[in-house]
């Protein structure tokens, strides 16, 4: 028995009401590649502008109430900046989201931070992590989202096992510092900026370190942090099964950690990832515990336009996956009715959910087409006028 039209409508509204996606402060600021940066006149350069941009994305999409912050970049004075951030939260109606320590740009982290051979540098890095946890407590932020660039560039230049030991020590100390309602999300990445070994290079390493650190540690899956051909939805299924999936950094990749717009290269993979999440929900695991976060900062696309694009794409793919008839699929899987199972699964991917999204937006008082509404709002043009003097004029829609 297939899903009725009214059941589909109800499921669609439930899915879109439930989907909350965190946007990154760094996604609104000028960034670039190691080959250079093309500055944008509308780019944000203050935390106030980042909150303003986040509020605009939330006004347009209705799905992005929290803003991920990067310590040092967004809170250069640490705890002393918390009051100002709180005021911005109230002013723009956007809450602080995950707190991201910054352990990869200071000169002394050249040979690593928490896994640096120098005990003094390891201690300094750990202190920054503990300070970041304190900032998260002061902001009422649940998640500390940790990515380390630690690694090495040449064989034989570092002891991998010693670095594992130093990471265990640091992450156990950090875990003990967490409040009861906080979590430490450990992100993995196969390479870059380290090009021979990265200390936390895959989900197994991150899962081990999370297990070692304690029950409030979990794994963060950045969808761009996998080798070509890797079955990411299988990793997601394993982490859900183990109960240690903390969340995602959404973006897309063609070759490496390209931070392209989610779904721009492989939307079917995003659909398959969301299917694993919806399926785990049917196993009473708490989907609410999984943090959906975007990690992108476009060099060429207009910053706010690209963020709206990512959110709308995530909503559509999440909705497609929500409408898989999972009961029927389970029966077909059980009976190994391969083609029928595949046709049901990929048929859900090919369903055009834009009419359902449109009626949800209408029901929630949101613009029918968030991208068009952004263009019609003149928000970017105002930002260019207010901020553009800082940079060479480059059209943000070029
Ligand atoms: C870079 C890293 C990693 C991290 C992000 C924010 O590759 O994804 O989460 O910066 O610090 O993209
Ligand atoms: Mn990331
Ligand atoms: Mn990345």
């Amino acid at each position: 028995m297939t899903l009725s039209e009214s059941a589909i409508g109800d499921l669609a509204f439930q899915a879109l009401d439930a989907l909350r996606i965190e946007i990154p402060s760094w996604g609104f600021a000028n960034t670039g590649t190691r080959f250079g940066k093309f500055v944008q006149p509308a780019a944000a350069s203050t935390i106030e502008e980042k909150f303003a941009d986040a509020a605009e994305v939330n006004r347009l999409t209705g799905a992005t109430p929290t803003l991920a912050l990067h310590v040092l970049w967004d809170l250069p004075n640490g705890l002393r900046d918390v009051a100002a951030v709180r005021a911005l939260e109230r002013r723009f109606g956007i809450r602080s989201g995950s707190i991201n320590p910054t352990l990869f740009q200071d000169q002394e982290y050249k040979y690593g931070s928490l896994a640096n051979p120098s005990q003094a540098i390891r201690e300094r890095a750990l202190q920054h992590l503990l300070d970041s946890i304190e900032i998260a407590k002061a902001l009422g932020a649940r998640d500390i989202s940790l990515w380390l660039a630690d690694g090495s560039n040449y064989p034989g230049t570092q002891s991998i096992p010693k670095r594992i030991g130093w990471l265990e020590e640091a992450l156990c100390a950090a875990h003990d510092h967490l409040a009861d309602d906080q979590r430490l999300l450990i992100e993995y990445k196969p390479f870059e900026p380290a090009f021979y070994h990265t200390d936390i290079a895959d989900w197994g390493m991150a899962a081990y370190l999370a297990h070692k650190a304690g029950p409030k540690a979990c794994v963060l899956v950045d969808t761009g942090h996998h080798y070509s051909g890797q079955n990411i939805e299988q990793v997601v299924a394993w982490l859900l099964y183990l109960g240690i999936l903390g969340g995602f950094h959404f973006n897309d990749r063609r070759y490496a950690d390209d931070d392209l717009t989610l779904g721009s290269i492989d939307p079917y993979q995003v659909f398959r990832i969301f299917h694993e999440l919806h399926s785990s929900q049917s196993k009473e695991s708490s989907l609410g515990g999984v943090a959906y976060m975007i990690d992108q900062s476009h060099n060429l696309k207009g910053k706010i336009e690209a963020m709206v694009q990512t959110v709308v794409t995530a909503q559509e793919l999440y909705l497609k996956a929500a409408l898989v008839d999972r009961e029927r699929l389970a029966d077909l899987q059980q009976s190994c009715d391969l083609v029928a199972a595949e046709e049901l699964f990929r048929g859900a991917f090919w369903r055009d959910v834009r009419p359902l999204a449109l009626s949800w937006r209408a029901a929630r008082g949101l613009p029918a087409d968030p991208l068009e509404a952004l263009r019609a709002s003149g928000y970017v043009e105002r930002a260019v006028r207010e901020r553009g003097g800082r940079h060479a004029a480059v059209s943000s829609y070029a």
Side-chain angles (χ1 to χ4, degrees):
M1 189 262 288
T2 55
L3 296 171
S4 68
E5 283 312 305
S6 69
I8 285 173
D10 293 345
L11 275 172
F13 273 49
Q14 281 165 26
L16 291 175
D17 282 339
L19 181 61
R20 290 291 171 265
I21 309 172
E22 185 161 299
I23 41 187
S25 67
W26 56 95
F28 298 113
N30 273 317
T31 49
T33 68
R34 58 188 175 131
F35 303 106
K37 182 192 292 188
F38 296 106
V39 294
Q40 299 185 20
S45 45
T46 66
I47 179 114
E48 176 181 343
E49 291 168 352
K50 294 170 187 174
F51 266 91
D53 292 356
E56 178 65 3
V57 172
N58 193 39
R59 181 185 73 82
L60 295 166
T61 63
T64 61
T66 58
L67 181 67
L69 302 177
H70 232 291
V71 183
L72 298 187
W73 299 349
D74 297 319
L75 298 114
N77 306 302
L79 281 169
R80 295 200 307 278
D81 291 334
V82 165
V85 170
R86 280 301 201 192
L88 292 172
E89 290 177 333
R90 287 189 297 272
R91 179 174 158 201
F92 290 104
I94 294 286
R95 291 194 328 275
S96 304
S98 62
I99 300 302
N100 294 257
T102 308
L103 284 169
F104 47 82
Q105 61 186 24
D106 288 17
Q107 292 303 305
E108 60 187 349
Y109 295 144
K110 185 174 181 180
Y111 302 118
S113 57
L114 297 178
N116 192 297
S118 152
Q119 182 174 353
I121 293 174
R122 290 201 302 273
E123 285 169 359
R124 179 174 179 275
L126 177 58
Q127 189 54 56
H128 174 81
L129 180 48
L130 301 182
D131 292 346
S132 299
I133 293 172
E134 287 307 310
I135 288 170
K137 285 176 188 169
L139 287 170
R142 176 187 68 176
D143 292 342
I144 290 83
S145 181
L146 178 66
W147 172 68
L148 298 177
D150 290 40
S152 68
N153 280 351
Y154 298 96
T157 59
Q158 281 293 300
S159 161
I160 292 175
K162 279 186 184 169
R163 294 174 76 98
I164 296 171
W166 294 328
L167 280 177
E168 284 179 328
E169 270 172 47
L171 294 176
C172 286
H175 183 280
D176 293 344
H177 206 73
L178 293 171
D180 291 346
D181 61 350
Q182 286 188 307
R183 305 186 311 172
L184 177 64
L185 273 58
I186 300 172
E187 183 173 2
Y188 60 89
K189 181 174 182 182
F191 76 100
E192 189 200 31
F195 290 107
Y196 167 65
H197 98 278
T198 294
D199 288 300
I200 309 178
D202 68 20
W203 74 274
M205 299 174 198
Y208 166 74
L209 288 167
H211 171 75
K212 188 77 180 173
K216 291 177 284 193
C218 38
V219 177
L220 186 141
V221 175
D222 184 306
T223 48
H225 290 186
H226 299 84
Y227 293 115
S228 294
Q230 220 169 332
N231 185 329
I232 303 177
E233 63 269 24
Q234 183 181 10
V235 172
V236 170
W238 266 90
L239 293 171
L240 284 165
Y241 187 86
L242 297 170
I244 56 171
L245 176 62
F248 291 90
H249 274 177
F250 286 128
N251 49 66
D252 212 340
R253 60 181 295 284
R254 182 70 191 86
Y255 300 102
D257 182 26
D258 311 323
D259 284 351
L260 298 174
T261 312
L262 181 72
S264 59
I265 303 296
D266 188 350
Y268 193 34
Q269 179 181 80
V270 182
F271 166 86
R272 300 194 303 265
I273 289 169
F274 281 145
H275 169 68
E276 292 306 328
L277 285 150
H278 286 294
S279 304
S280 68
Q281 193 172 13
S282 60
K283 281 187 0 183
E284 281 84 54
S285 73
S286 136
L287 197 57
V290 177
Y292 293 151
M293 303 181 278
I294 294 167
D295 180 6
Q296 71 182 47
S297 182
H298 289 280
N299 198 21
L300 304 182
K301 278 184 179 178
K303 303 277 177 186
I304 302 174
E305 201 178 22
M307 202 65 77
V308 171
Q309 243 189 334
T310 294
V311 176
V312 169
T313 300
Q315 288 176 314
E316 290 177 358
L317 292 168
Y318 185 81
L319 178 49
K320 285 172 181 272
L323 299 180
V324 169
D325 183 345
R326 283 187 291 279
E327 254 179 65
R328 174 103 184 90
L329 183 65
D331 293 343
L332 295 170
Q333 289 171 341
Q334 185 58 33
S335 58
C336 295
D337 193 336
L338 305 182
V339 173
E342 188 195 9
E343 284 306 297
L344 182 150
F345 189 71
R346 75 195 200 99
F349 172 66
W350 289 112
R351 178 201 300 272
D352 182 0
V353 295
R354 288 172 295 183
L356 287 164
L358 208 56
S359 52
W360 175 77
R361 292 194 176 105
R364 297 295 178 263
L366 294 163
D369 180 333
L371 271 179
E372 271 319 304
L374 173 62
R375 294 198 174 105
S377 71
Y379 182 90
V380 175
E381 289 72 14
R382 280 195 302 280
V384 169
R385 283 195 299 277
E386 289 157 16
R387 312 171 189 175
R390 299 182 210 128
H391 311 301
V394 169
S395 155
S396 60
Y397 289 131

